Amino acid sequence: DIVMTQSPLSLPVTPGEPASISCRSSQSLLNSNGNNHLDWYLQKPGQSPQLLIYLGSNRASGVPDRFSGSGSGTDFTLKISRVEAEDVGVYYCMQALQTPFTFGPGTILDIK
Amino acid sequence: QVQLQESGPGLVKPSETLSLTCTVSGASVDTYYWSWIRQPPGKGLEWIGYIYNSGRTTYNPSFKSRVTFSLDTSKNQFSLRLTSMTAADTAVYYCARQYNHLGSFRIDYWGQGTLVTVSS
């Protein structure tokens, strides 16, 4: 199985400030088609996870442009340019390359 | 608008079998990949497997031979069956849709989840 790790595991952020979450995979998620098979999800308190970013850097429908994804191979980053109160929750990366699909442990973002 | 809704028992006894159903609206279970994912209380997400192409399945080997998925196209539903339940199977179970785009399987729709507790 591909092992996913994230850092930090906890991220207190002041509203209006930027935030960054790192995700690493135990093997490359870059496919022969040149795409990185890495997704980001946000699980807001009491809710189901929701898709934020797919294929490493593509925002899902309705996701604000303050969210961006980058990286390639085994190292990926989710950035929030200016954190808002509604961004609190747990952020997960997931490798979508091969089964079994696996998630990172999650990064808890909360407001200072 | 695609919507998914899980249904099933909230409490299962140890050694018994869990059966959950996911009812889908806004998309046909004949297309796409339909998944089950679980989340133990306070913990992370675990992919159980998916069913697709009118009944083909791929399971997480962690569940070995305990898990079975099925489709009911007449009701636009898909189901999970997990045998030999233990306390370690206590979790919120989500049904979800996975969309295959360029060989990548993003999860674009999730159910609200249903908590299953294993206890005598």
Side-chain angles (χ1 to χ4, degrees):
Chain A
D1 297 4
I2 298 176
V3 178
M4 307 298 292
T5 58
Q6 290 180 230
S7 63
L9 298 183
S10 179
L11 183 58
V13 183
T14 300
E17 293 296 304
S20 180
I21 300 170
S22 173
C23 174
R24 288 188 172 178
S25 56
S26 61
Q27 63 188 73
S28 177
L29 303 183
L30 180 63
N31 206 353
S32 56
N33 56 19
N35 294 302
N36 285 285
H37 294 209
L38 185 283
D39 303 329
W40 289 97
Y41 298 86
L42 165 61
Q43 187 172 30
K44 295 183 177 182
Q47 296 186 17
S48 306
Q50 60 187 80
L51 178 66
L52 291 177
I53 302 287
Y54 63 94
L55 289 171
S57 60
N58 296 274
R59 273 190 304 276
S61 176
V63 174
D65 60 8
R66 64 179 180 275
F67 290 91
S68 63
S70 63
S72 186
T74 61
D75 291 299
F76 299 89
T77 302
L78 176 71
K79 292 183 179 177
I80 310 173
S81 58
R82 296 174 305 280
V83 170
E84 298 187 4
E86 65 180 22
D87 299 336
V88 299
V90 184
Y91 290 79
Y92 295 95
C93 58
M94 184 196 90
Q95 64 84 11
L97 179 67
Q98 65 184 50
T99 61
F101 303 115
T102 47
F103 295 86
T107 294
I108 302 171
L109 186 148
D110 62 6
I111 298 297
K112 280 184 181 176
Chain B
Q1 175 83 356
V2 179
Q3 294 184 313
L4 300 91
Q5 178 67 58
E6 305 88 352
S7 58
L11 181 64
V12 176
K13 290 182 168 56
S15 80
E16 291 191 342
T17 296
L18 171 67
S19 293
L20 295 176
T21 296
C22 183
T23 302
V24 178
S25 59
S28 171
V29 297
D30 265 348
T31 56
Y32 302 103
Y33 291 70
W34 302 96
S35 308
W36 290 97
I37 296 151
R38 73 178 187 180
Q39 184 173 37
K43 296 188 177 180
L45 299 161
E46 182 176 31
W47 183 82
I48 301 171
Y50 56 33
I51 187 167
Y52 62 104
N53 197 14
S54 299
R56 297 185 69 177
T57 55
T58 299
Y59 301 127
N60 186 330
S62 296
F63 294 89
K64 298 181 181 177
S65 57
R66 290 203 300 142
V67 67
T68 306
F69 294 164
S70 59
L71 278 180
D72 185 339
T73 56
S74 67
K75 296 180 179 178
N76 215 39
Q77 295 175 333
F78 63 103
S79 298
L80 167 149
R81 186 171 179 270
L82 187 62
T83 63
S84 305
M85 295 283 283
T86 71
D89 295 311
T90 293
V92 174
Y93 285 76
Y94 295 100
C95 60
R97 188 182 87 168
Q98 285 190 258
Y99 180 67
N100 181 1
H101 177 218
L102 300 176
S104 191
F105 290 81
R106 64 181 180 264
I107 304 169
D108 57 357
Y109 291 96
W110 298 71
Q112 67 182 31
T114 186
L115 174 62
V116 177
T117 301
V118 182
S119 174
S120 55

